[in-house]
Amino acid sequence: MSGDEDTTGSDDHAEFSHEARQQRVGLVAEFWDFLKHNKKWWLLPILITMALIALLIVLGSSGAAPFIYPLF
């Protein structure tokens, strides 16, 4: 039995070492993989809405504010 535990431990170590040597992916790519693999597509409209609100806040405090205010 202890032989089985040793082989899984070395496999885990080898897999961890392989993952550590991989090139790092960006936040957007990692989040896209999360959405794709976990089928959490309902999060996408929420994030898009939050991004648009953040864009309006940034533009509202800049020189583009006079052009944004008539939209509302």
Side-chain angles (χ1 to χ4, degrees):
M1 286 201 142
S2 65
D4 294 336
E5 293 172 5
D6 291 338
T7 58
T8 57
S10 63
D11 289 340
D12 289 342
H13 180 69
E15 182 180 347
F16 181 77
S17 297
H18 175 69
E19 290 293 326
R21 285 188 300 255
Q22 294 289 332
Q23 184 178 1
R24 295 182 66 174
V25 278
L27 180 65
V28 175
E30 189 170 336
F31 188 71
W32 181 254
D33 281 343
F34 170 76
L35 288 176
K36 192 168 53 173
H37 292 292
N38 293 319
K39 310 259 190 281
K40 303 285 185 184
W41 298 113
W42 56 271
L43 285 173
L44 209 52
I46 296 170
L47 292 174
I48 290 171
T49 304
M50 288 176 60
L52 289 175
I53 291 172
L55 181 67
L56 281 175
I57 290 172
V58 168
L59 290 177
S61 64
S62 69
F67 302 108
I68 293 175
Y69 290 139
L71 296 175
F72 299 103

